[in-house]
Amino acid sequence: MKEKLERFAIFRLLVGLSRTRAIRLLIPIAVIALVYIEGSNELKQIHIGQTIRQLRGMPRLSVLAILGTALFSVAVMSGYDFLIRHHFRLNVSRGTTFRYSWIANTFNNILGFAGLTGAGVRTLLYKRSGVPAAKMGQAVLFLSPMVITGLSVLSWFVVTGVFPAWTLFEVHPWLQIAVYGVGLYLVFFIGVQRSSLFAKWFNRDGGRIPFVTVGASLGASFLEWSFAAMTFFLITRELLGPVPFCGIIGLYVVSAVAGILSMAPGGIGAFDLTVLMGLQIMDYSSDQAMAVLVMFRLFYYVVPWLVGLLLGAFEFATGGRRKADRQPVKDPESGELFQESESVSGSAAALANRLNGALNAWQKFWRLPEQLGFLTDFGAWALGKLVLIGGFVLLLSAATPGLMHRLRFTKELLSLPVMQLSHQLTVIIGFLLILLSRGISLRVKRAYRLTSLLLWAGAVFSFTKAFDFEEAIYLLIVALMLWISRDRFYREGAPLSGRLLGFWFLTTTLIAVSYYLLGSHMLDGFIKHLPMKPRHHAAHALQPPHYYAITAAVGLVSSWLFLTVILLLRPFRHTEIGAGVEEMARLEAFLKTNKGNYLTHMYFTGDKGFYWAKGGKVLFVYAKTRDKLAVLGDPLGPRELISEAIVEFQQYADRYALSVVFYQVGPEYLSIYHDNGYRFFKLGEEALVDLDAFTLSGKKNTDLRAVNNRFEREGYAFEIAQPPHNADLLSELREVSTEWLDGKKEMGYSLGWFDEPYLQRAPLAVLRSSEGRALAFASLAPVYDGGRTMSIDLMRHRKDTPNGTMDWMFIRLLQGCKEQGYARFNLGNAPLASVGQSKSAMREERLASLVFRYGGHWYGFQGLRRYKGKFSPDWEPRFLAYPVTVSLPILTVDLVRLVNRKMKGSR
């Protein structure tokens, strides 16, 4: 019964690691699936060609008016941030508050998840201005119950009939219940906001919230929802003609309520389906309703989010380093040192004036060039997404027929073959930008250069294809942003794997199929719904449906061929090679003047790379696994240089977008790892026998004494052969090793394997029967600590060896090393020993403790520790040190793959 309970505890612990995040994701996904299943009839009636015709036919002045209203609608949401700025007395300027608000709110609109995205981004941004995360947590909690109060006010206008939605309620009564529920939230909010309970939980005992603050929060929320509704109304009026103001606002409010309750990003699914149903009840076609939705999503969500991406990229490129992090900067003319400050003045201003004059105003607004180079991961991520969107924009532009007057204008300036060539090149560039977007996010220098060239080329071909100046302007803006951030693209490369390449190939193939389906199936509907057929010379600019299949195939194949050539010509990746003969000779010389550790002998296997830091004074021995460099053991070298050497090696790895982890490190350098940003997971304990204290006498060693007497009495022989070893001995021992492996492949990285050049570097212990037949052997591993410690490496035996064979081998090894003057003998690691025994231990370590106790079916964890415990060793802990940015479960899988990969020279 107890064992079943423990196994159930393992299950509960595993579920607990991921259930919270999974639930957050599954709820909105389930809601989206449900509403689309329910609304499948409405969706089937949509004709993409008709929808695109309506969108592309909108007058430019109307587009600008709607865009202005939408941007203003997002701008008024800054009222929330100004409210918490005043209430919590945040030391943040008004301009910074507005920027932070825009970035957080647009990301929340796009990604949503019940406000979690906005809360996280807002906390991250304000932290850059010195606002503690704990204080921002209070501010976000204070703000969260106020956000939907404005929608609650509008719901009462629907309930009272000011903004009628009765027809929609008759068809779907559950919507009326939802609107009543959101409306009652206002009554609940007003009733409790002055209570002590509300002050305790949402104002963190800051006292009851003043009426002025409550009024301001209601006003900010009401403005947000009102201007969003106004944007929806303007789009509807432009696309559908004269529409009832009150009825459209009522439809928006009901749809917004459905979207809020779904918790999906931007209310996607529930909001869209409610709008579709509502407009069709008002006798508008499904194509018209879809056009309204697409325009609303584009103007209210996508365009402001693109602006948010731009602001976010520059915010993290220029914003808020702590004063302690600022370093003196040398003026290039005077050579004088000055301290960086929030404003550019003195010699810093002189440096600013030497930059491109066209960017002066922009630089002053963003406090450039003082902090131009400090684009962090978020900024690089944002730039990568802008490039990715640029690729989709080009493909969408190529898949949708151009406007007739633009096609005629372009046809008069250029020949039709030039237009068709530009169309094909636009598709190829679109695919390449999608593929290169990851390189931009990883800040790869070659990706930046190629992407910049493609963005400029894409802008040119957008003009020559069909005078699509909107797409060209977007690409030029992204190219300008990349140029401003050019100093941050410093990496020589990024890790590539077969799985990653497969994922991107599958993704681009699906995009190519989507491009074909969109282009070919939309063309007929586009032409069919035109009020008059295009003239002959313009009709030639509209390609036949099969042309899109050819364009998609050529674009996909060309982009991958081009990318393959670029990858083949990339700089040689030093991170992927093992140490050669010269490195081995350098290691031997290094160990004559520097102390080794228990894993140092494994460095001679040749499957790991060497990195010499601090001018060759510190050595890191590592192997690459996916996007990580796994260092085996502690670095070798003077202790006082280790910390700086770790920073140097991290910078080297970062050039290739790799993380550095340390495997099987001892307790000596834990404080140094901690200071360099590492966390720890206990891997187990090393069994170290004090040879001076080792003896077979005494009551507790009765079993060992009996084994020793039995093997000596039966005539078994033991010897320690010193290198170089003759070929006959190695051939005999290979038979033992092959029988022991029994078809299994050798493990490596932190273990030695049967490789003759490697075995020639150390003594071999051999146990023979009375007839002289080799029954078992073990290879020894010097620790290179001045002859004080010897360690064991390979241990192999035949299947027909008698019981106690390995016990006797260990006894003779310990006795032999003691006679040779060694002080300690390392019996090796006991994995997961003494891990997670405390109730306060990490959740992962407590899970490992359960695996240690009940994982004997797969690996004898407890049995191995008990076996080594027979020799009365001292136990020394071993740890895994990993950066906080690395996922421990994923790292564990990578290390298992590393240890189990096929080794050079193994059979």
Side-chain angles (χ1 to χ4, degrees):
M1 183 64 182
K2 181 179 179 181
E3 183 177 351
K4 291 183 178 179
L5 289 174
E6 293 284 2
R7 290 178 178 174
F8 179 67
I10 296 177
F11 173 76
R12 287 176 56 193
L13 195 56
L14 287 170
V15 172
L17 291 173
S18 58
R19 62 183 178 184
T20 303
R21 183 178 299 176
I23 290 173
R24 290 175 183 170
L25 293 174
L26 289 176
I27 289 177
I29 291 174
V31 172
I32 293 173
L34 178 63
V35 296
Y36 274 111
I37 290 173
E38 291 294 322
S40 57
N41 292 330
E42 287 80 3
L43 296 175
K44 289 178 180 178
Q45 301 173 21
I46 295 171
H47 303 286
I48 299 297
Q50 176 69 359
T51 300
I52 297 296
R53 184 189 71 82
Q54 293 185 358
L55 296 179
R56 303 205 70 165
M58 291 181 63
R60 291 292 173 263
L61 290 179
S62 298
V63 170
L64 291 177
I66 295 172
L67 178 59
T69 305
L71 294 178
F72 185 77
S73 301
V74 175
V76 299
M77 297 172 69
S78 63
Y80 296 128
D81 289 81
F82 282 103
L83 176 64
I84 61 175
R85 174 179 177 268
H86 171 77
H87 185 74
F88 289 92
R89 295 179 175 85
L90 303 180
N91 187 21
V92 182
S93 68
R94 291 185 177 88
T96 301
T97 301
F98 181 80
R99 293 198 305 272
Y100 288 177
S101 170
W102 191 288
I103 297 170
N105 289 322
T106 54
F107 269 80
N108 191 68
N109 283 349
I110 284 287
L111 302 178
F113 293 112
L116 295 175
T117 302
V121 173
R122 188 172 273 110
T123 302
L124 177 65
L125 289 167
Y126 279 93
K127 184 179 179 181
R128 295 180 61 77
S129 290
V131 179
K135 192 169 188 177
M136 275 311 301
Q138 296 179 23
V140 169
L141 188 64
F142 168 80
L143 193 62
S144 57
M146 302 178 180
V147 173
I148 65 170
T149 53
L151 183 61
S152 184
V153 173
L154 292 174
S155 297
W156 280 106
F157 283 99
V158 174
V159 170
T160 57
V162 176
F163 299 143
W166 305 115
T167 308
L168 189 58
F169 290 159
E170 291 176 0
V171 178
H172 298 283
W174 67 271
L175 288 172
Q176 184 174 10
I177 298 173
V179 172
Y180 270 101
V182 173
L184 289 173
Y185 176 79
L186 178 64
V187 179
F188 171 79
F189 176 78
I190 294 175
V192 303
Q193 57 85 24
R194 295 280 295 170
S195 68
S196 58
L197 182 63
F198 190 90
K200 176 181 178 180
W201 285 100
F202 293 98
N203 202 25
R204 291 296 176 97
D205 292 326
R208 288 182 171 84
I209 301 174
F211 283 115
V212 175
T213 303
V214 175
S217 66
L218 283 171
S221 182
F222 183 75
L223 284 176
E224 173 200 351
W225 292 102
S226 297
F227 277 100
M230 183 59 66
T231 304
F232 182 80
F233 168 74
L234 291 177
I235 293 173
T236 307
R237 186 182 65 179
E238 181 61 38
L239 292 175
L240 306 184
V243 292
F245 174 80
C246 293
I248 294 300
I249 298 298
L251 172 61
Y252 173 80
V253 173
V254 175
S255 303
V257 168
I260 284 291
L261 296 179
S262 73
M263 294 191 298
I268 188 170
F271 176 86
D272 305 79
L273 189 59
T274 306
V275 170
L276 281 173
M277 293 186 299
L279 289 177
Q280 290 184 62
I281 290 173
M282 294 180 182
D283 294 328
Y284 295 104
S285 69
S286 57
D287 296 326
Q288 292 174 313
M290 178 55 71
V292 169
L293 278 172
V294 171
M295 289 297 291
F296 183 71
R297 290 287 180 191
L298 177 64
F299 283 107
Y300 189 74
Y301 289 94
V302 177
V303 173
W305 180 63
L306 290 177
V307 176
L309 275 176
L310 293 171
L311 296 179
F314 275 109
E315 188 63 44
F316 283 83
T318 64
R321 281 186 299 158
R322 296 183 299 273
K323 291 184 179 180
D325 295 335
R326 300 193 183 108
Q327 300 295 328
V329 179
K330 179 181 289 187
D331 185 86
E333 289 185 357
S334 64
E336 184 179 359
L337 292 176
F338 64 90
Q339 190 70 25
E340 291 181 309
S341 61
E342 285 299 315
S343 60
V344 181
S345 60
S347 55
L351 180 61
N353 291 332
R354 284 193 293 273
L355 293 181
N356 194 324
L359 294 175
N360 279 347
W362 184 267
Q363 291 167 349
K364 289 178 182 178
F365 178 76
W366 290 104
R367 305 189 300 280
L368 297 177
E370 158 193 48
Q371 298 172 9
L372 178 65
F374 300 97
L375 182 65
T376 61
D377 290 337
F378 181 85
W381 179 88
L383 288 173
K385 296 303 169 285
L386 289 171
V387 172
L388 178 67
I389 293 169
F392 281 112
V393 165
L394 285 179
L395 291 177
L396 183 63
S397 173
T400 56
L403 298 177
M404 288 295 103
H405 67 280
R406 292 190 185 179
L407 289 171
R408 288 194 294 268
F409 176 75
T410 310
K411 182 73 165 52
E412 292 172 0
L413 292 178
L414 304 168
S415 64
L416 184 60
V418 171
M419 295 174 62
Q420 292 176 336
L421 178 61
S422 299
H423 184 276
Q424 181 65 76
L425 291 175
T426 299
V427 174
I428 295 175
I429 292 173
F431 278 113
L432 282 171
L433 289 178
I434 291 172
L435 291 170
L436 288 169
S437 62
R438 182 175 182 271
I440 294 298
S441 295
L442 293 175
R443 291 174 281 179
V444 178
K445 187 189 304 182
R446 288 161 61 87
Y448 157 73
R449 294 170 179 169
L450 183 56
T451 301
S452 298
L453 177 64
L454 291 174
L455 288 169
W456 285 96
V460 171
F461 294 132
S462 294
F463 275 107
T464 58
K465 173 178 67 70
F467 201 63
D468 291 327
F469 60 85
E470 300 93 342
E471 292 91 329
I473 291 174
Y474 174 80
L475 296 177
L476 291 176
I477 291 174
V478 177
L480 177 63
M481 289 197 62
L482 287 179
W483 179 80
I484 293 175
S485 304
R486 63 192 181 280
D487 292 338
R488 300 310 299 155
F489 294 93
Y490 62 90
R491 284 177 172 154
E492 299 295 334
L496 287 175
S497 64
R499 292 184 179 182
L500 181 63
L501 292 174
F503 167 78
W504 279 104
F505 182 77
L506 178 62
T507 300
T508 50
T509 302
L510 293 175
I511 293 172
V513 173
S514 302
Y515 164 83
Y516 162 70
L517 294 175
L518 179 63
S520 60
H521 289 75
M522 192 178 65
L523 186 65
D524 292 337
F526 180 82
I527 297 178
K528 183 170 62 178
H529 290 93
L530 289 175
M532 58 182 296
K533 302 304 177 187
R535 291 178 359 203
H536 178 72
H537 66 280
H540 281 291
L542 293 173
Q543 307 298 342
H546 70 270
Y547 176 81
Y548 290 96
I550 298 174
T551 305
V554 172
L556 181 64
V557 173
S558 300
S559 60
W560 271 98
L561 285 176
F562 183 73
L563 187 64
T564 301
V565 173
I566 295 297
L567 292 176
L568 292 176
L569 295 177
R570 63 180 173 159
F572 187 67
R573 291 291 303 278
H574 292 282
T575 58
E576 297 179 358
I577 61 174
V581 176
E582 294 182 0
E583 293 280 25
M584 293 298 180
R586 187 177 180 183
L587 174 60
E588 290 177 348
F590 180 81
L591 291 175
K592 292 178 180 179
T593 56
N594 291 271
K595 183 180 177 181
N597 57 45
Y598 297 114
L599 296 167
T600 299
H601 192 68
M602 311 302 167
Y603 299 170
F604 289 102
T605 55
D607 65 321
K608 291 170 279 290
F610 290 0
Y611 181 84
W612 300 91
K614 304 302 295 180
K617 296 179 180 178
V618 178
L619 172 62
F620 295 84
V621 178
Y622 65 90
K624 179 178 176 294
T625 172
R626 217 164 56 85
D627 58 347
K628 303 171 186 69
L629 297 184
V631 179
L632 181 60
D634 295 303
L636 301 183
R639 181 184 177 87
E640 63 271 14
L641 299 179
I642 296 299
S643 183
E644 295 179 2
I646 290 175
V647 174
E648 181 182 332
F649 187 52
Q650 289 173 329
Q651 292 173 347
Y652 166 77
D654 189 54
R655 288 171 53 196
Y656 300 98
L658 299 168
S659 301
V660 177
V661 300
F662 292 86
Y663 181 69
Q664 287 198 22
V665 299
E668 181 181 1
Y669 293 154
L670 289 188
S671 61
I672 296 178
Y673 295 126
H674 180 271
D675 291 342
N676 284 281
Y678 283 88
R679 300 178 66 185
F680 307 103
F681 178 85
K682 188 175 180 181
L683 295 171
E685 294 180 327
E686 203 92 359
L688 305 174
V689 178
D690 183 356
L691 294 180
D692 291 335
F694 177 74
T695 178
L696 294 181
S697 61
K699 184 177 181 181
K700 66 177 183 179
N701 294 321
T702 302
D703 293 339
L704 294 179
R705 203 163 50 246
V707 168
N708 183 61
N709 294 335
R710 177 165 62 88
F711 273 80
E712 289 183 348
R713 184 172 57 252
E714 294 178 1
Y716 287 89
F718 175 84
E719 64 173 328
I720 297 180
Q722 299 295 330
H725 307 294
N726 62 61
D728 292 337
L729 174 63
L730 292 177
S731 176
E732 189 178 14
L733 298 185
R734 181 176 289 280
E735 293 180 8
V736 177
S737 177
T738 302
E739 184 177 340
W740 183 86
L741 286 171
D742 194 22
K744 300 186 295 290
K745 67 177 183 179
E746 296 266 24
M747 301 174 71
Y749 178 59
S750 61
L751 302 170
W753 63 91
F754 200 98
D755 178 55
E756 293 188 9
Y758 172 67
L759 295 178
Q760 289 284 8
R761 290 186 171 271
L764 291 173
V766 184
L767 187 152
R768 297 182 181 276
S769 66
S770 56
E771 294 83 13
R773 178 171 174 254
L775 297 179
F777 75 93
S779 67
L780 301 183
V783 178
Y784 304 94
D785 60 350
R788 285 183 48 81
T789 310
M790 181 63 76
S791 183
I792 195 165
D793 189 7
L794 275 73
M795 292 184 291
R796 306 283 163 90
H797 61 81
R798 295 186 183 274
K799 294 181 180 180
D800 59 350
T801 55
N803 292 335
T805 297
M806 300 311 294
D807 287 355
W808 193 58
M809 175 171 283
F810 273 121
I811 292 171
R812 294 305 306 271
L813 274 173
L814 295 174
Q815 291 175 336
C817 289
K818 182 177 181 179
E819 293 171 358
Q820 295 178 23
Y822 288 96
R824 285 183 303 180
F825 192 92
N826 177 23
L827 296 176
N829 192 267
L832 303 183
S834 303
V835 176
Q837 294 182 348
S838 171
K839 293 183 179 179
S840 301
M842 294 170 53
R843 180 165 48 185
E844 294 86 353
E845 290 188 345
R846 285 188 281 118
L847 175 61
S849 175
L850 294 175
V851 173
F852 176 78
R853 280 183 281 171
Y854 302 103
H857 177 72
W858 302 280
Y859 189 92
F861 295 102
Q862 282 188 310
L864 181 60
R865 193 185 193 283
R866 282 197 300 268
Y867 178 82
K868 294 182 177 182
K870 292 191 299 184
F871 299 94
S872 303
D874 298 321
W875 296 98
E876 187 174 288
R878 290 292 177 266
F879 299 92
L880 172 66
Y882 60 98
V884 295
T885 55
V886 172
S887 168
L888 181 57
I890 295 176
L891 173 59
T892 302
V893 174
D894 290 339
L895 291 173
V896 170
R897 292 176 58 195
L898 177 61
V899 173
N900 285 277
R901 69 183 181 182
K902 183 175 176 58
M903 296 294 108
K904 180 190 69 173
S906 64
R907 294 183 179 179

